[in-house]
Amino acid sequence: MVIKPMIRNSICLNAHPAGLRIYVQDGIDYIKKQKKFTGPKNVLIVGGSAGYGLATRIAAAFGAGAKTLSIAFEKPASDRRAATAGWYASEYFKTQAEAQGLFTENIYGDAFSREIKDEAIAAVKKHFGGKVDLLVYSLASGVRTDPRTGVVYRSVLKPIGAAYSAKSVNPLTGQLEEGSISPATEEEIEATIKVMGGEDWELWVDALLEAGVLSQGAVSLAYSYIGPDMTRAVYRDGTIGRAKEHIENSAKVLDKKLKSSLGGAAYISVNKALVTRASAVIPVVPLYLGILFKTMEKKGLQEDCIEQMYRLMTDRLYAGGSVPTDAEGR
Ligand code: NAD
């Protein structure tokens, strides 16, 4: 099959396996050049096929020799379509990890469902000796079916209270354009919290605790973003910001739960802005990212997912002693 780029509204709709091989290999090569560290041994990553979840997986496997199990919503190729980017990335990661003798398993399906949680628990029992010591929750999704009610929720990236207009850049043409988004309705705010908030993370931890497959001292981790004043109206003060407040609150609930049951902990890691599928279509964000990357490069500070996730493990989570956090426990 010849794969030709399909791009709509600045979003690439298909992927090429050769590109994903290079992307994953670059991450592996970066970690191999860093100092090895004593870290997690059995890692379950919900959303481990792309972005921050994939980088966490690469850092844990190639930096600390961890066994990794990833849950992701990805599809293999069919007669007419190429596979999704995350499928190519996950399969390539598996070949490289296995070549180093690192156990790797990929489960493809809807992480929000009870069925996939049960499948993951069965895999943990079979391959991890029944114990996970790091659960990473790195989902980014536009839609979630609540497993208890069957109701489908769709998240939106919108401001709250007033419309928002700003300059943006079209990533394909490089032209500056004026963009505008109308404010979210109450229903849209609630739906975004349902999809991108912490409810499903809590369900994951509860399911694993109930099945007795978290080890003594187990850590769970989810990712958040704060950002500058420039993106505040559409990000931290917008619908996604409400979902992030919710997941940050879930971290506090889970931290108490894991502490009291296993002497474990839950944390939020606030990560840097990077290009994702959604960010390309929010006004101001592509322009902000373009300026941010250039400025950080000039200052020698620019990092991708992999550098941040390596630092998260070596400078924070597995540095020894108490984990440094801000006043909010992030
Ligand atoms: P991404 O789109 O690169 O990856 C999302 C992952 O979620 C993929 O593995 C995908 O397969 C998986 N996924 C989505 N829906 C699923 C489903 N129903 N079932 C199973 N898997 C599913 O996302 P990302 O940018 O790495 O974001 C991960 C987390 O990091 C999010 O919480 C995000 O808010 C946060 N974060 C992102 C940025 C950024 O700029 N990208 C910055 C800070 C924090």
Side-chain angles (χ1 to χ4, degrees):
M1 182 195 305
V2 176
I3 302 172
K4 294 196 180 126
M6 280 164 51
I7 300 172
R8 203 181 305 145
N9 295 333
S10 313
I11 299 176
C12 300
L13 298 177
N14 61 354
H16 198 289
L20 272 305
R21 277 201 295 275
I22 294 169
Y23 180 74
V24 174
Q25 191 59 51
D26 280 353
I28 293 173
D29 291 346
Y30 174 81
I31 295 297
K32 280 186 170 171
K33 279 192 215 124
Q34 311 306 311
K35 218 172 131 217
K36 293 251 178 306
F37 61 97
T38 305
K41 292 289 160 241
N42 296 325
V43 186
L44 169 55
I45 305 130
V46 184
S49 66
Y52 280 113
L54 173 62
T56 315
R57 184 181 207 186
I58 295 172
F62 287 89
K67 293 182 176 182
T68 60
L69 165 62
S70 156
I71 314 296
F73 197 74
E74 306 294 350
K75 291 217 162 64
S78 66
D79 293 347
R80 300 172 51 212
R81 275 178 161 265
T84 57
W87 190 89
Y88 290 129
S90 302
E91 293 302 309
Y92 182 73
F93 172 86
K94 189 172 165 69
T95 61
Q96 296 310 296
E98 285 178 353
Q100 304 272 310
L102 297 167
F103 174 85
T104 305
E105 172 111 325
N106 295 320
I107 293 179
Y108 300 115
D110 182 9
F112 294 127
S113 70
R114 181 66 218 199
E115 292 73 22
I116 288 292
K117 291 182 176 73
D118 289 341
E119 212 180 299
I121 289 166
V124 168
K125 286 183 177 162
K126 191 167 165 201
H127 304 295
F128 286 2
K131 295 293 175 199
V132 165
D133 54 4
L134 176 64
L135 167 68
V136 179
Y137 190 81
S138 186
L139 279 198
S141 177
V143 56
R144 171 177 173 225
T145 304
D146 185 324
R148 291 177 286 208
T149 60
V151 176
V152 178
Y153 295 92
R154 285 179 200 284
S155 63
V156 298
L157 288 161
K158 288 190 175 181
I160 293 174
Y164 175 73
S165 301
K167 272 214 170 52
S168 200
V169 65
N170 181 328
L172 286 184
T173 61
Q175 293 297 308
L176 284 184
E177 293 168 356
E178 194 71 29
S180 175
I181 353 178
S182 54
T185 62
E186 275 309 312
E187 214 176 12
E188 286 174 325
I189 298 170
E190 284 311 309
T192 306
I193 294 171
K194 274 290 221 184
V195 180
M196 287 297 288
E199 191 175 277
D200 183 59
W201 183 24
E202 294 192 37
L203 290 176
W204 268 98
V205 173
D206 287 346
L208 297 180
L209 272 175
E210 215 170 277
V213 297
L214 288 177
S215 62
Q216 199 60 33
V219 169
S220 191
L221 193 60
Y223 298 138
S224 190
Y225 179 70
I226 297 175
D229 283 343
M230 196 190 219
T231 60
R232 185 165 283 280
V234 273
Y235 201 98
R236 199 64 204 196
D237 290 347
T239 50
I240 185 69
R242 290 284 176 88
K244 289 301 178 196
E245 273 168 23
H246 188 275
I247 202 166
E248 288 171 20
N249 198 48
S250 293
K252 291 176 186 157
V253 173
L254 293 177
D255 190 58
K256 277 201 191 103
K257 214 179 250 185
L258 289 171
K259 245 186 204 100
S260 62
S261 54
L262 299 165
Y267 298 103
I268 289 289
S269 167
V270 179
N271 302 338
K272 172 185 165 292
L274 285 163
V275 177
T276 61
R277 283 178 288 185
S279 65
V281 292
I282 317 174
V284 87
V285 171
L287 182 56
Y288 164 68
L289 286 176
I291 296 167
L292 176 73
F293 288 11
K294 277 191 184 155
T295 309
M296 289 187 82
E297 264 159 24
K298 256 189 219 148
K299 293 187 167 180
L301 294 172
Q302 169 62 358
E303 289 185 321
D304 207 333
C305 300
I306 195 74
E307 292 90 345
Q308 290 177 79
M309 295 302 100
Y310 178 76
R311 282 200 299 114
L312 171 64
M313 296 213 171
T314 53
D315 293 357
R316 306 263 157 169
L317 284 181
Y318 302 103
S322 66
V323 175
T325 61
D326 70 4
E328 296 295 321
R330 298 176 291 204

